[in-house]
Amino acid sequence: MTRTARSTRSLQVGFLVLLGICAAQVAWWVYDQWSEGRASTQRLEERLVADAEAAQGMVDAGADPRLVAEAFDSVVYLPGQGLVIDSEMREKLDEETHRRIRRYVWEGTFFLVVLISGMTVLSRALHEESVLRRRQQNFVAAVGHEFKSPLAGIRLAAETIALRDPEVGHRRRLLQRILEESDRLEGMVANLLDTARIEEGTDVLMPQPLDLGEAVHSIFRAFEERAELEQVILEHDVKDGLTVMADQTAVTRVLRNLVDNALKAVRDATPRRIQVRARAAGEWAVVTVADTGSGFDPKEAGRLFDKFYRPGDELRRGGQGSGLGLYIVRHLVERSGGTVQAESDGPGQGATFTVTWPLVSAAATTRESA
Amino acid sequence: MKSDGHQPRILVVEDERTLADLLQENLTAEDYEIEVVNDGESGLATARRGSFDLIILDVMLPGIDGFTICERLRSEGNDVPVLFLTAKVSATDRVHGFEVGGDDYLPKPFHLRELLLRVGAILRRNQWYGQATAAGAALEFGENRVDFRSYRGTSWDGREQALTYKEAMILKVLSEREGEVVSRDEILQKVWGYDVYPSTRTIDNFIVRLRQRFEPNPDTPVYLHTVRGVGYRFTRAGEK
C-alpha cells in the first residue's frame, strides 16, 4: 500500500518538475523572441538613421531632395520638413516584432495548457488506481477478518464442547452459536460469489411480479432471532398490494444486505431500532431501511456503494463488513431499473437507505392475471 | 500464582460477542477471574482502573484499536502483560504488536488449548519475576544500581534510570546466571514465553538499550558482553 502510494507520489512530483521545466522553456522562448525582435528592430533603426544621414549628406552636397528620396526606400521628402524617415517603415517593423511575440505567447500558452491537462488526466488516473488498489488491499484484510472471526467463534465453541463436555442446555446454546457463525460465513461467501458473478457479467436476473410485503416479511422472519438476541427492535410498515417488477433473489439479497448492515450499525447504539417501510410513490415502490445506528459522514454517501469501500479507519472499525454488500445492493437494484441512495445526518446519527423498484401497475397486473 | 492463593485476574477486550463469551467461559473454568469489555474505550479505561495480571486484547476494535491501547498503557508506565488476539496475521502486524509492548501474539482462529497454554505461560513468567525479585530485589554492578521491584535504578554517571518491564526481566535473567553465557533462545523463553517470539534480534535491541543505560562506553561493554553466535554474559565486576 505505502509502496504504491509512494511511487504515485514520486510520479506526481516528477510530473511537476517536468511541468516546471516546460514552463521555463516556453518562458525562455518568449523572452528569446522578444529580445531577438528588439535587437533586429534596433539594427533596422540604425540602418534607417544611417540611410537618412546619407540622404541628408547628398542633399547637403547639392542633390535634389526629391530625387534623393526616391533613391532611398526608407526616406521620404516632406515639403517644409525636408528628408525624414518613412514612418510606415517603422510601424511595419514594430508590427512584425509584436506579431512574432504574440504568436509565441499564444503557442507557448497552448502548449502549456495541453501539457498541464495531459498531466492532470494522467496523474488523476494514477491516483484513482492507487486508491482502488489500496481499497483492494483493505478488502483482502477485511475479508480475512470476516472469515476468521466467525471461524474462530465456530472453532472455540466446538472446542469448548469437546473440552468441557457441558450439560445439554449449555451444549445447545453453544451449537446455536456455531450455527449463527456459520450463517455469517455463508453470507460472506454469498457476497463474494455475487461480486464475482457481477464482475464476470454472468449474473442472470429474471424480473417478475413480486409481492414486496411478502419479501419484507420473509426477511424479518430470517432476522427475528438475531434481532432478539442483540436486543434490537425490528419494525416494519409495508403497504398492502405493492407488487414490483423485480428478480426475487435480487430483492431478497438487497433487503438482507440492508437489514444486516443496519443490525451491525446499531450494535453500540441506544436505542437500537430498525424500521423498514414500503409505500407506493407514482410508478415506484419506495422501500426505506432506517436505523438508529452509527451513521456516516454525509460526504461519504456516494462512495458507500463503491466496491471495497468501507468508511473509517481500518483498525478502529467495528471490524465487520467487507465493502461488498452495498456494491451488490446498488448493482442489483439498478439492474432491476430501480435506484438506491443513502442518507445520514452524520456519525452516530443513524442512517436511512432508500430503494426504489418499478411497480407493476394495476392495469398490468390485471392483464397478466387475465 | 494459583499456588499462593491469589486468583489471577484477566481482562478480555474483544468485540466479537461469541469469542468474548466463550473466552470468559473457558478462562473462568481455568480458575481465573475474568472481566470482559467489548470496545476500545472501555478496554483502555478498565485496564487503567483495574489491577490485572494479563490483558487479552483484540486489535480491530470499535473506538480505540488494540495496538494504541497497549501503546498508551506502556507510555503511562503500566506494564501489565498483553496478549494480542487478532485476525491480523501479517509479519508487519506481529512486529508492530511487539513494538507497542505486547508480550504475545495469537492469530485467529486459534486453538483453545494453545490459548490456555500461552495464558498460563505468561502468568508463570510474571510469577517467576515476582519470586526472583523477592529473593534478590536489588542489583549492583560497578557504580550502577537497579531495584527490580520498582524497575528503577541509578547508572554510573548518576542518572536516574526507569527500566521497562522487559529490560528489567532480561537483566534479571542475565544477573541470576552471572558469569555464564545465556543464549538468546533462553532469554526469549524466560522473558517472552515458551515459544520463540519475536525474533532473537529483538533481544539484541534490548541489550543495546541496557548498555546505553549502564555501560560507561556502550561500544566496548564491560558488564553486558556479547558472546558471538551464542548469546550474552553478564559480569558484576567490570571486565574488558
Side-chain angles (χ1 to χ4, degrees), chain A residues 114-174:
Chain A
V114 168
L115 207 67
I116 289 171
S117 342
M119 283 183 181
T120 311
V121 168
L122 207 62
S123 143
R124 192 167 294 167
L126 277 172
H127 175 72
E128 270 166 22
E129 196 185 329
S130 96
V131 166
L132 186 69
R133 204 172 307 159
R134 194 162 57 234
R135 270 200 223 143
Q136 235 158 346
Q137 274 157 348
N138 283 348
F139 166 74
V140 171
V143 166
H145 185 268
E146 283 298 279
F147 275 117
K148 281 171 184 168
S149 295
L151 258 184
I154 290 171
R155 166 151 218 130
L156 189 54
E159 281 186 318
T160 307
I161 295 174
L163 187 70
R164 311 282 173 205
D165 194 17
E167 42 83 24
V168 179
H170 187 43
R171 182 184 296 247
R172 196 167 292 147
R173 279 196 298 280
L174 288 172

Side-chain angles (χ1 to χ4, degrees), chain B residues 1-9 31-33 53 127 131:
Chain B
M1 274 185 216
K2 285 182 216 177
S3 58
D4 61 15
H6 163 68
Q7 194 184 22
R9 293 189 68 217
D31 252 357
Y32 301 125
E33 196 185 321
D53 296 296
Q127 195 183 7
Q131 284 166 356

Side-chain angles (χ1 to χ4, degrees), chain A residues 141 144-145 148-149 151-153 155-157 159-160 163-164 170 174 177 180-181 184 267-268 310 314-320, chain B residues 15-19 21-23 25-26 29-30 59-65 67-68 87-89 108-113 116:
Chain A
H145 185 268
K148 281 171 184 168
S149 295
L151 258 184
R155 166 151 218 130
L156 189 54
E159 281 186 318
T160 307
L163 187 70
R164 311 282 173 205
H170 187 43
L174 288 172
R177 296 269 186 160
E180 282 162 22
E181 298 292 338
R184 226 175 110 189
R267 263 182 52 174
D268 297 308
R310 309 196 324 143
E314 194 60 38
L315 283 179
R316 291 180 188 87
R317 213 183 322 271
Q320 296 217 348
Chain B
D15 65 323
E16 293 281 338
R17 301 275 152 93
T18 303
L19 287 185
D21 291 351
L22 292 176
L23 281 174
E25 179 182 336
N26 280 290
E30 294 293 314
V59 175
M60 284 164 87
L61 285 168
I64 311 172
D65 69 88
F67 287 150
T68 309
K88 293 181 84 70
V89 291
K108 288 179 190 172
F110 53 89
H111 293 242
L112 176 58
R113 283 173 191 277
L116 295 176

Side-chain angles (χ1 to χ4, degrees), chain A residues 84-268:
Chain A
V84 292
I85 295 171
D86 186 354
S87 63
E88 255 178 54
M89 271 309 257
R90 186 168 275 170
E91 273 164 25
K92 239 192 269 174
L93 194 68
D94 284 350
E95 178 54 29
E96 174 65 15
T97 313
H98 283 134
R99 203 176 57 78
R100 283 201 358 219
I101 290 176
R102 269 202 305 277
R103 202 178 77 208
Y104 278 97
V105 168
W106 280 115
E107 282 177 2
T109 313
F110 175 73
F111 176 66
L112 276 182
V113 165
V114 168
L115 207 67
I116 289 171
S117 342
M119 283 183 181
T120 311
V121 168
L122 207 62
S123 143
R124 192 167 294 167
L126 277 172
H127 175 72
E128 270 166 22
E129 196 185 329
S130 96
V131 166
L132 186 69
R133 204 172 307 159
R134 194 162 57 234
R135 270 200 223 143
Q136 235 158 346
Q137 274 157 348
N138 283 348
F139 166 74
V140 171
V143 166
H145 185 268
E146 283 298 279
F147 275 117
K148 281 171 184 168
S149 295
L151 258 184
I154 290 171
R155 166 151 218 130
L156 189 54
E159 281 186 318
T160 307
I161 295 174
L163 187 70
R164 311 282 173 205
D165 194 17
E167 42 83 24
V168 179
H170 187 43
R171 182 184 296 247
R172 196 167 292 147
R173 279 196 298 280
L174 288 172
L175 288 171
Q176 184 58 38
R177 296 269 186 160
I178 293 179
L179 290 175
E180 282 162 22
E181 298 292 338
S182 306
D183 283 345
R184 226 175 110 189
L185 272 182
E186 208 179 300
M188 186 65 210
V189 171
N191 273 357
L192 274 178
L193 291 179
D194 275 359
T195 308
R197 275 195 285 265
I198 291 171
E199 301 283 282
E200 289 169 7
T202 53
D203 60 326
V204 182
L205 297 187
M206 289 193 294
Q208 52 186 14
L210 178 80
D211 184 351
L212 201 54
E214 187 50 47
V216 171
H217 284 302
S218 82
I219 288 295
F220 266 62
R221 276 195 296 279
F223 279 109
E224 221 166 41
E225 206 168 336
R226 179 168 154 200
E228 198 178 300
L229 201 75
E230 295 176 7
Q231 296 168 347
V232 179
I233 304 162
L234 260 184
E235 293 173 339
H236 66 83
D237 173 14
V238 180
K239 297 274 173 287
D240 284 336
L242 289 176
T243 309
V244 294
M245 191 50 116
D247 179 273
Q248 184 176 2
T249 328
V251 171
T252 310
R253 305 238 0 99
V254 166
L255 292 174
R256 183 183 286 272
N257 265 311
L258 291 178
V259 175
D260 184 52
N261 273 356
L263 277 165
K264 285 177 195 162
V266 297
R267 263 182 52 174
D268 297 308

